Amino acid sequence: MNCSPPEMVCETAIVAEERQSLGAAGKEGRRLPPAAAPAAAPAAAAAQMWPPGPAASPPGASAGGGERPSGAAGLSIRPFHPAEGEAARRIFYEGILERIPNTAFRGLKDQPLAQLLYAAMAVICFVVTKSLLVTCCLPVFLMGVRYYFSRKVILSYLECALNTDMSDIEQYYMKSPGSCFWVAVLNGNVVGIVAARGNEEDNTVELRRMSVDSKYRGKGIAKALGRKVLEFAVLNNYSSVVLGTTAVKVAAHKLYESLGFKHVGLVEHYSLPGMTHSILEQIFFQLRYHRYCLHLREE
């Protein structure tokens, strides 16, 4: 499959009901020579870019260079190592798979035209068949078709992602100037991931690939991962952090807002890599693409 480079899509499986306050972010910047290491002043600015929780610890990195949210004892957030590639891809893959039922079923509530079309199909079905039973079975059939196309498109998207940046995280993020990839490690296991991809042209950094293992959600891990990207942006003098998401769950959007992001745009009928744009696909699969931005300083 011919896949174009990943666009500004933060495909993520995250839960925003954070149960514990988080410690302030640790210090870690772009991979720079020692002479270009960030000074203490940017670190202090980073600590003030977002409000700490009620019991936030003082700014500074924990032992081992990781950030430890108080809601997940023993958890640290540190730069990705190549040996963790399979674990990172597994978390990403499983998180995106959750989008299949969410897009097929939950996403319908934001698609009034699709609802109207399906209602019209039910009326036509009743007029043609004169059967209440057949008409009542139609919604089940329509939801089944929506699930089929949701699965088809999202699996195609996954194939593209796993053949582009997620196939070589080290090369795409760790060796690329202005970019980084972090893992959240709890008791020796990788339980979450997030990436930052810098854009020197407009001096922005993109938050991407945020995902938390479903067994470890609700511990503040997603918010700590997000703060790591914000800290990275501040320490490296980026003016803004941006992200894009097709997430349907309200919890994901609440998480971005809790980190300070503002909703700045919405694209209806967004196209993912791997879509065929057939008539049936357009009828039974629709995505809304949300853009978020957090301005760190004026240019």
Coordinates of all heavy atoms in Angstrom, one line a residue, residues 11-108:
E11 N -3.7 10.1 16.9 CA -4.5 8.9 17.1 C -4.2 8.4 18.5 O -3.1 7.9 18.7 CB -4.3 7.8 16.0 CG -4.6 8.3 14.6 CD -6.1 8.7 14.5 OE1 -6.9 8.3 15.3 OE2 -6.4 9.4 13.5
T12 N -5.1 8.3 19.4 CA -4.8 8.0 20.8 C -5.9 7.3 21.4 O -7.1 7.4 21.1 CB -4.5 9.3 21.5 OG1 -4.3 9.0 22.9 CG2 -5.7 10.3 21.4
A13 N -5.6 6.5 22.4 CA -6.6 5.9 23.2 C -6.3 6.3 24.7 O -5.4 5.7 25.3 CB -6.5 4.3 23.1
I14 N -7.0 7.3 25.2 CA -6.6 7.9 26.5 C -7.9 8.1 27.3 O -9.0 8.2 26.7 CB -5.9 9.2 26.3 CG1 -6.6 10.1 25.3 CG2 -4.5 8.9 25.8 CD1 -5.9 11.4 25.0
V15 N -7.8 8.2 28.6 CA -8.9 8.5 29.5 C -8.5 9.7 30.2 O -7.5 9.8 30.8 CB -9.1 7.3 30.4 CG1 -10.2 7.7 31.4 CG2 -9.6 6.1 29.6
A16 N -9.5 10.6 30.3 CA -9.2 11.9 30.9 C -9.6 12.0 32.4 O -9.3 13.0 33.0 CB -9.9 13.1 30.2
E17 N -10.3 11.0 32.9 CA -10.7 11.1 34.3 C -9.4 10.8 35.2 O -9.3 9.7 35.7 CB -11.8 10.1 34.6 CG -13.1 10.4 34.0 CD -13.1 9.9 32.5 OE1 -12.2 9.2 32.1 OE2 -14.1 10.3 31.8
E18 N -8.6 11.8 35.3 CA -7.3 11.6 36.1 C -7.7 11.6 37.6 O -8.3 12.5 38.0 CB -6.3 12.7 35.7 CG -6.1 12.9 34.3 CD -5.5 11.7 33.6 OE1 -5.1 10.8 34.3 OE2 -5.5 11.7 32.4
R19 N -7.2 10.6 38.3 CA -7.6 10.5 39.7 C -6.7 11.1 40.6 O -7.0 11.4 41.8 CB -7.7 9.0 40.0 CG -8.7 8.3 39.1 CD -8.7 6.8 39.4 NE -9.6 6.1 38.5 CZ -9.6 4.8 38.4 NH1 -8.8 4.0 39.1 NH2 -10.5 4.2 37.6
Q20 N -5.4 11.4 40.2 CA -4.5 11.9 41.1 C -3.8 13.1 40.5 O -3.7 13.2 39.3 CB -3.4 10.9 41.5 CG -3.9 9.6 42.1 CD -4.4 9.8 43.5 OE1 -3.9 10.8 44.2 NE2 -5.2 9.0 44.0
S21 N -3.3 14.1 41.3 CA -2.6 15.2 40.8 C -1.2 14.7 40.3 O -0.7 13.7 40.8 CB -2.4 16.3 41.9 OG -1.7 15.7 43.0
L22 N -0.6 15.4 39.4 CA 0.6 15.0 38.8 C 1.8 15.9 39.3 O 1.6 17.1 39.6 CB 0.5 15.1 37.3 CG -0.6 14.3 36.7 CD1 -0.6 14.6 35.2 CD2 -0.4 12.8 37.0
G23 N 2.9 15.3 39.4 CA 4.1 16.0 39.7 C 4.5 17.0 38.6 O 4.1 16.8 37.5
A24 N 5.2 18.0 38.9 CA 5.6 18.9 37.8 C 6.6 18.2 36.9 O 7.2 17.2 37.2 CB 6.4 20.1 38.4
A25 N 6.7 18.7 35.7 CA 7.4 18.0 34.6 C 8.9 18.0 34.9 O 9.5 18.9 35.4 CB 7.2 18.7 33.3
G26 N 9.6 16.9 34.4 CA 11.0 16.8 34.6 C 11.7 17.5 33.4 O 11.1 18.0 32.5
K27 N 13.1 17.7 33.6 CA 13.8 18.4 32.6 C 14.4 17.5 31.5 O 15.1 16.6 31.8 CB 15.0 19.2 33.2 CG 14.6 20.2 34.2 CD 15.8 20.8 34.9 CE 15.4 21.8 36.0 NZ 16.5 22.4 36.6
E28 N 13.9 17.7 30.3 CA 14.5 16.9 29.2 C 14.3 17.7 27.9 O 13.1 17.9 27.5 CB 13.9 15.5 29.1 CG 14.5 14.7 28.0 CD 13.7 13.4 27.8 OE1 13.0 13.1 28.7 OE2 13.9 12.8 26.8
G29 N 15.2 18.1 27.2 CA 15.1 18.8 25.9 C 15.4 18.0 24.7 O 15.5 16.8 24.8
R30 N 15.5 18.7 23.6 CA 15.8 18.0 22.3 C 17.2 17.5 22.5 O 18.0 17.9 23.3 CB 15.8 19.1 21.3 CG 15.8 18.6 19.9 CD 15.9 19.7 18.9 NE 15.0 20.8 19.3 CZ 15.0 21.9 18.6 NH1 15.7 22.1 17.5 NH2 14.2 22.9 19.0
R31 N 17.6 16.5 21.7 CA 18.9 15.9 21.7 C 19.9 16.9 21.1 O 20.0 17.1 19.9 CB 18.9 14.6 20.8 CG 18.0 13.5 21.4 CD 17.9 12.4 20.4 NE 19.1 11.7 20.2 CZ 19.5 10.7 20.8 NH1 18.8 10.2 21.8 NH2 20.7 10.1 20.5
L32 N 20.6 17.7 22.0 CA 21.5 18.7 21.6 C 22.9 18.5 22.2 O 23.0 17.8 23.2 CB 20.9 20.1 22.2 CG 19.6 20.5 21.7 CD1 19.1 21.7 22.5 CD2 19.6 20.9 20.2
P33 N 23.9 19.1 21.6 CA 25.2 19.0 22.1 C 25.2 19.7 23.5 O 24.4 20.6 23.8 CB 26.0 19.8 21.1 CG 25.2 19.9 19.9 CD 23.8 19.8 20.3
P34 N 26.2 19.4 24.4 CA 26.2 19.9 25.7 C 26.2 21.5 25.7 O 25.6 22.1 26.6 CB 27.5 19.4 26.3 CG 27.7 18.1 25.5 CD 27.2 18.3 24.2
A35 N 26.8 22.1 24.7 CA 26.9 23.5 24.7 C 25.5 24.2 24.5 O 25.3 25.3 24.8 CB 27.8 24.0 23.6
A36 N 24.6 23.4 23.9 CA 23.3 24.0 23.6 C 22.2 23.5 24.6 O 21.0 23.6 24.3 CB 22.9 23.6 22.2
A37 N 22.6 22.9 25.7 CA 21.7 22.4 26.7 C 20.9 23.5 27.3 O 21.3 24.6 27.5 CB 22.4 21.7 27.8
P38 N 19.5 23.3 27.5 CA 18.7 24.4 28.0 C 19.2 24.9 29.4 O 19.6 24.1 30.2 CB 17.3 23.7 28.2 CG 17.4 22.4 27.3 CD 18.8 22.0 27.3
A39 N 19.0 26.1 29.6 CA 19.4 26.7 30.9 C 18.3 26.6 31.9 O 17.2 26.1 31.6 CB 19.7 28.2 30.7
A40 N 18.5 27.0 33.1 CA 17.6 26.9 34.2 C 16.3 27.8 34.0 O 15.2 27.5 34.4 CB 18.2 27.3 35.6
A41 N 16.5 28.9 33.3 CA 15.4 29.8 33.1 C 14.3 29.2 32.3 O 13.1 29.3 32.6 CB 15.9 31.1 32.4
P42 N 14.6 28.5 31.1 CA 13.5 27.9 30.4 C 12.8 26.8 31.2 O 11.6 26.6 31.1 CB 14.2 27.3 29.2 CG 15.5 28.1 29.0 CD 15.8 28.5 30.4
A43 N 13.6 26.1 32.1 CA 13.0 25.1 32.9 C 12.0 25.7 33.8 O 10.9 25.1 34.1 CB 14.1 24.3 33.7
A44 N 12.3 26.8 34.4 CA 11.4 27.5 35.3 C 10.1 27.9 34.5 O 9.0 27.8 35.0 CB 12.0 28.7 35.9
A45 N 10.3 28.4 33.3 CA 9.2 28.7 32.5 C 8.3 27.5 32.2 O 7.1 27.6 32.2 CB 9.7 29.4 31.1
A46 N 9.0 26.4 31.9 CA 8.2 25.2 31.7 C 7.3 24.8 32.8 O 6.2 24.4 32.7 CB 9.1 24.0 31.3
A47 N 7.8 25.0 34.0 CA 7.1 24.6 35.2 C 5.8 25.5 35.4 O 4.9 25.1 36.1 CB 7.9 24.7 36.5
Q48 N 5.8 26.7 34.8 CA 4.7 27.6 34.9 C 3.8 27.6 33.8 O 2.8 28.4 33.8 CB 5.3 29.0 35.1 CG 6.1 29.2 36.4 CD 6.7 30.5 36.6 OE1 6.5 31.4 35.7 NE2 7.5 30.7 37.6
M49 N 4.0 26.8 32.7 CA 3.2 26.9 31.5 C 1.8 26.3 31.8 O 0.9 26.5 31.1 CB 3.9 26.2 30.4 CG 5.0 27.0 29.8 SD 4.6 28.7 29.4 CE 3.3 28.4 28.3
W50 N 1.7 25.3 32.7 CA 0.5 24.7 33.0 C 0.3 24.6 34.5 O 1.3 24.4 35.3 CB 0.4 23.3 32.4 CG 1.6 22.5 32.6 CD1 1.9 21.7 33.7 CD2 2.7 22.4 31.8 NE1 3.1 21.1 33.6 CE2 3.6 21.5 32.4 CE3 3.0 23.0 30.5 CZ2 4.8 21.2 31.8 CZ3 4.3 22.7 30.0 CH2 5.2 21.8 30.6
P51 N -0.9 24.7 35.1 CA -1.0 24.7 36.5 C -0.8 23.4 37.1 O -1.3 22.4 36.6 CB -2.5 25.2 36.7 CG -3.2 24.8 35.4 CD -2.1 25.0 34.4
P52 N 0.0 23.2 38.2 CA 0.2 21.9 38.8 C -1.0 21.5 39.6 O -1.9 22.3 39.9 CB 1.4 22.2 39.7 CG 1.3 23.7 40.1 CD 0.8 24.3 38.8
G53 N -1.1 20.3 39.9 CA -2.2 19.8 40.7 C -2.0 20.2 42.1 O -1.0 20.8 42.5
P54 N -3.0 20.0 43.0 CA -3.0 20.5 44.3 C -1.8 20.0 45.1 O -1.4 20.6 46.0 CB -4.3 19.9 44.9 CG -5.2 19.6 43.8 CD -4.3 19.3 42.6
A55 N -1.3 18.8 44.8 CA -0.2 18.2 45.5 C 1.0 18.0 44.7 O 1.8 17.1 44.8 CB -0.6 16.9 46.2
A56 N 1.2 18.9 43.7 CA 2.3 18.8 42.8 C 3.6 18.9 43.5 O 3.8 19.7 44.4 CB 2.2 19.9 41.7
S57 N 4.6 18.1 43.0 CA 5.9 18.2 43.6 C 6.7 19.3 43.0 O 6.4 19.8 41.9 CB 6.6 16.8 43.4 OG 6.7 16.6 42.0
P58 N 7.8 19.7 43.6 CA 8.6 20.8 43.1 C 9.2 20.4 41.7 O 9.4 19.3 41.4 CB 9.7 21.0 44.1 CG 9.2 20.4 45.3 CD 8.3 19.3 44.9
P59 N 9.5 21.4 40.9 CA 10.1 21.1 39.6 C 11.4 20.4 39.7 O 12.1 20.6 40.6 CB 10.3 22.5 38.9 CG 9.4 23.4 39.7 CD 9.3 22.9 41.0
G60 N 11.6 19.5 38.7 CA 12.8 18.7 38.7 C 12.6 17.3 38.3 O 11.5 16.8 38.5
A61 N 13.6 16.7 37.8 CA 13.5 15.3 37.3 C 13.7 14.4 38.5 O 14.4 14.6 39.4 CB 14.6 15.0 36.3
S62 N 13.0 13.3 38.4 CA 13.1 12.2 39.4 C 14.4 11.4 39.1 O 15.0 11.5 38.1 CB 11.9 11.3 39.5 OG 11.7 10.7 38.2
A63 N 14.7 10.5 40.0 CA 15.9 9.6 39.8 C 15.7 8.9 38.5 O 14.7 8.3 38.2 CB 16.0 8.7 40.9
G64 N 16.7 8.8 37.7 CA 16.6 8.1 36.4 C 16.1 9.0 35.3 O 16.0 8.6 34.1
G65 N 15.8 10.3 35.5 CA 15.4 11.2 34.5 C 14.0 11.1 34.1 O 13.6 11.7 33.1
G66 N 13.1 10.4 34.8 CA 11.7 10.2 34.5 C 10.8 11.1 35.3 O 11.2 11.5 36.4
E67 N 9.6 11.3 34.8 CA 8.6 12.1 35.6 C 7.7 11.1 36.2 O 7.2 10.1 35.6 CB 7.9 13.0 34.6 CG 6.7 13.7 35.3 CD 6.0 14.6 34.3 OE1 6.7 15.2 33.5 OE2 4.8 14.7 34.4
R68 N 7.4 11.3 37.5 CA 6.6 10.3 38.2 C 5.3 10.9 38.7 O 5.3 11.6 39.7 CB 7.4 9.7 39.4 CG 8.7 9.1 38.9 CD 9.4 8.4 40.0 NE 10.6 7.8 39.5 CZ 11.1 6.6 39.9 NH1 10.4 5.9 40.7 NH2 12.2 6.1 39.4
P69 N 4.1 10.6 38.1 CA 2.9 11.1 38.6 C 2.6 10.4 39.9 O 2.8 9.2 40.1 CB 1.9 10.7 37.5 CG 2.7 10.3 36.3 CD 4.0 9.9 36.8
S70 N 2.0 11.2 40.8 CA 1.7 10.6 42.2 C 0.6 9.5 42.1 O 0.5 8.7 43.0 CB 1.2 11.7 43.1 OG 0.1 12.4 42.6
G71 N -0.2 9.5 41.0 CA -1.3 8.5 40.9 C -0.7 7.1 40.4 O -1.5 6.2 40.4
A72 N 0.5 7.0 40.0 CA 1.1 5.8 39.6 C 2.5 5.6 40.2 O 3.4 5.9 39.5 CB 1.1 5.7 38.1
A73 N 2.5 5.1 41.4 CA 3.8 4.9 42.1 C 4.7 4.0 41.3 O 4.3 3.0 40.8 CB 3.6 4.4 43.5
G74 N 6.0 4.4 41.1 CA 6.9 3.6 40.4 C 6.9 3.9 38.9 O 7.7 3.2 38.2
L75 N 6.1 4.8 38.4 CA 6.1 5.1 37.0 C 7.1 6.2 36.6 O 7.2 7.2 37.4 CB 4.7 5.5 36.6 CG 4.5 5.8 35.1 CD1 3.2 5.1 34.6 CD2 4.5 7.3 34.8
S76 N 7.8 6.0 35.5 CA 8.7 7.0 35.0 C 8.4 7.2 33.5 O 8.0 6.3 32.8 CB 10.1 6.7 35.3 OG 10.5 5.5 34.5
I77 N 8.7 8.4 33.0 CA 8.6 8.7 31.6 C 10.0 9.1 31.1 O 10.6 10.0 31.6 CB 7.6 9.9 31.4 CG1 6.2 9.5 31.8 CG2 7.6 10.3 29.9 CD1 5.2 10.6 31.8
R78 N 10.4 8.3 30.1 CA 11.8 8.5 29.6 C 11.9 8.3 28.1 O 10.9 7.8 27.5 CB 12.7 7.5 30.3 CG 12.3 6.1 30.2 CD 13.4 5.2 30.9 NE 13.0 3.8 31.0 CZ 12.9 2.9 29.9 NH1 13.2 3.3 28.7 NH2 12.6 1.7 30.1
P79 N 13.0 8.7 27.5 CA 13.1 8.6 26.1 C 13.0 7.1 25.6 O 13.5 6.2 26.3 CB 14.5 9.2 25.8 CG 14.7 10.2 26.9 CD 14.1 9.5 28.1
F80 N 12.5 7.0 24.5 CA 12.4 5.6 23.9 C 13.7 5.0 23.6 O 14.7 5.6 23.2 CB 11.6 5.8 22.5 CG 11.6 4.6 21.7 CD1 10.7 3.6 21.9 CD2 12.5 4.5 20.6 CE1 10.7 2.5 21.0 CE2 12.5 3.4 19.8 CZ 11.6 2.4 20.0
H81 N 13.8 3.7 23.8 CA 14.9 2.9 23.4 C 14.5 1.8 22.4 O 13.4 1.3 22.4 CB 15.5 2.1 24.7 CG 16.8 1.4 24.4 ND1 16.8 0.1 23.9 CD2 18.1 1.8 24.6 CE1 18.1 -0.3 23.8 NE2 18.8 0.7 24.2
P82 N 15.4 1.6 21.4 CA 15.0 0.6 20.3 C 14.4 -0.7 20.8 O 13.5 -1.3 20.1 CB 16.3 0.5 19.5 CG 17.0 1.7 19.7 CD 16.7 2.2 21.1
A83 N 14.9 -1.2 22.0 CA 14.4 -2.5 22.5 C 12.9 -2.4 22.9 O 12.3 -3.5 23.0 CB 15.3 -2.9 23.7
E84 N 12.4 -1.2 23.0 CA 11.0 -1.1 23.4 C 10.1 -0.9 22.2 O 8.9 -0.6 22.4 CB 10.9 0.1 24.3 CG 11.7 -0.1 25.6 CD 12.0 1.3 26.3 OE1 12.0 2.3 25.7 OE2 12.2 1.2 27.5
G85 N 10.6 -1.1 21.0 CA 9.8 -0.9 19.8 C 8.5 -1.7 19.7 O 7.4 -1.2 19.4
E86 N 8.6 -3.0 20.0 CA 7.5 -3.9 19.9 C 6.4 -3.5 20.9 O 5.2 -3.5 20.6 CB 7.9 -5.4 20.1 CG 8.7 -5.9 18.9 CD 7.9 -5.8 17.6 OE1 6.7 -6.1 17.6 OE2 8.5 -5.4 16.6
A87 N 6.8 -3.2 22.1 CA 5.8 -2.8 23.2 C 5.1 -1.5 22.8 O 3.9 -1.4 22.9 CB 6.5 -2.6 24.5
A88 N 5.9 -0.6 22.2 CA 5.3 0.7 21.8 C 4.3 0.5 20.6 O 3.2 1.1 20.6 CB 6.4 1.7 21.3
R89 N 4.7 -0.3 19.7 CA 3.8 -0.6 18.6 C 2.5 -1.4 19.0 O 1.4 -1.1 18.5 CB 4.5 -1.4 17.5 CG 5.4 -0.5 16.6 CD 6.0 -1.3 15.5 NE 7.2 -2.1 15.9 CZ 8.4 -1.6 16.0 NH1 8.7 -0.4 15.7 NH2 9.4 -2.4 16.5
R90 N 2.7 -2.2 20.0 CA 1.5 -3.0 20.5 C 0.5 -2.0 21.2 O -0.7 -2.1 20.9 CB 1.9 -4.0 21.6 CG 0.8 -4.7 22.2 CD 1.2 -5.6 23.4 NE 1.9 -4.9 24.4 CZ 1.2 -4.2 25.4 NH1 -0.1 -4.1 25.4 NH2 1.9 -3.5 26.3
I91 N 1.0 -1.1 22.0 CA 0.1 -0.1 22.7 C -0.6 0.8 21.6 O -1.8 1.0 21.7 CB 0.9 0.7 23.7 CG1 1.4 -0.1 24.8 CG2 0.1 1.9 24.2 CD1 2.3 0.6 25.8
F92 N 0.2 1.2 20.6 CA -0.4 2.0 19.6 C -1.5 1.3 18.8 O -2.6 1.7 18.6 CB 0.7 2.5 18.6 CG 0.2 3.1 17.4 CD1 -0.3 4.4 17.4 CD2 0.3 2.5 16.1 CE1 -0.8 5.0 16.2 CE2 -0.2 3.1 15.0 CZ -0.7 4.3 15.0
Y93 N -1.1 0.0 18.4 CA -2.1 -0.8 17.6 C -3.4 -1.1 18.4 O -4.5 -0.9 17.9 CB -1.4 -2.1 17.3 CG -2.2 -3.1 16.4 CD1 -2.1 -2.9 15.0 CD2 -3.0 -4.0 16.9 CE1 -2.8 -3.8 14.2 CE2 -3.7 -4.9 16.1 CZ -3.6 -4.8 14.8 OH -4.4 -5.6 13.9
E94 N -3.3 -1.5 19.7 CA -4.4 -1.8 20.5 C -5.3 -0.5 20.7 O -6.5 -0.6 20.7 CB -4.0 -2.4 21.8 CG -3.4 -3.8 21.6 CD -3.0 -4.4 22.9 OE1 -3.0 -3.7 24.0 OE2 -2.5 -5.6 22.9
G95 N -4.6 0.6 20.9 CA -5.4 1.9 21.1 C -6.2 2.3 19.9 O -7.3 2.7 20.0
I96 N -5.6 2.1 18.7 CA -6.3 2.5 17.4 C -7.4 1.5 17.2 O -8.4 1.9 16.7 CB -5.3 2.5 16.3 CG1 -4.2 3.6 16.5 CG2 -6.0 2.7 15.0 CD1 -4.8 5.0 16.6
L97 N -7.2 0.2 17.5 CA -8.3 -0.8 17.3 C -9.6 -0.4 18.0 O -10.7 -0.7 17.6 CB -7.8 -2.2 17.7 CG -6.9 -3.0 16.8 CD1 -6.7 -4.4 17.3 CD2 -7.6 -3.0 15.4
E98 N -9.4 0.3 19.2 CA -10.6 0.7 19.9 C -11.4 1.7 19.2 O -12.6 2.0 19.5 CB -10.1 1.3 21.3 CG -9.5 0.4 22.2 CD -9.0 1.0 23.5 OE1 -9.5 2.1 23.8 OE2 -8.2 0.4 24.3
R99 N -10.8 2.4 18.2 CA -11.5 3.3 17.4 C -12.6 2.7 16.5 O -13.5 3.4 16.0 CB -10.5 4.1 16.5 CG -9.6 5.0 17.2 CD -10.3 6.1 17.9 NE -9.4 7.0 18.6 CZ -8.8 8.0 18.1 NH1 -9.0 8.3 16.9 NH2 -8.0 8.8 18.8
I100 N -12.5 1.4 16.2 CA -13.4 0.8 15.3 C -14.8 0.9 15.8 O -15.7 1.4 15.1 CB -13.0 -0.7 15.0 CG1 -11.6 -0.7 14.3 CG2 -14.1 -1.4 14.2 CD1 -11.1 -2.1 14.1
P101 N -15.2 0.3 17.0 CA -16.6 0.5 17.5 C -16.9 1.9 17.8 O -18.1 2.3 17.6 CB -16.6 -0.4 18.7 CG -15.2 -0.5 19.2 CD -14.4 -0.5 17.9
N102 N -15.9 2.7 18.3 CA -16.2 4.1 18.7 C -16.7 4.9 17.5 O -17.6 5.6 17.5 CB -15.0 4.7 19.3 CG -14.8 4.2 20.7 OD1 -15.6 3.7 21.4 ND2 -13.5 4.3 21.2
T103 N -15.9 4.7 16.3 CA -16.3 5.4 15.1 C -17.6 4.9 14.5 O -18.4 5.7 14.1 CB -15.1 5.3 14.1 OG1 -13.9 5.7 14.7 CG2 -15.4 6.1 12.8
A104 N -17.8 3.6 14.6 CA -19.0 3.0 13.9 C -20.3 3.4 14.7 O -21.3 3.7 14.1 CB -18.8 1.5 13.9
F105 N -20.2 3.4 16.0 CA -21.4 3.6 16.8 C -21.5 5.0 17.5 O -22.4 5.7 17.3 CB -21.5 2.5 17.8 CG -21.4 1.1 17.2 CD1 -20.6 0.1 17.8 CD2 -22.1 0.7 16.1 CE1 -20.5 -1.2 17.3 CE2 -22.0 -0.5 15.5 CZ -21.2 -1.5 16.1
R106 N -20.5 5.3 18.3 CA -20.5 6.6 19.0 C -20.5 7.7 18.1 O -21.1 8.8 18.3 CB -19.4 6.6 20.0 CG -19.5 5.7 21.2 CD -18.5 6.1 22.3 NE -18.5 5.2 23.4 CZ -17.8 5.4 24.5 NH1 -17.0 6.4 24.6 NH2 -17.9 4.6 25.5
G107 N -19.7 7.6 17.0 CA -19.5 8.7 16.1 C -20.8 9.1 15.4 O -20.9 10.2 14.9
L108 N -21.8 8.2 15.3 CA -23.0 8.5 14.6 C -23.8 9.7 15.2 O -24.5 10.4 14.5 CB -23.9 7.3 14.6 CG -25.2 7.4 13.8 CD1 -25.0 7.7 12.4 CD2 -26.0 6.1 13.9

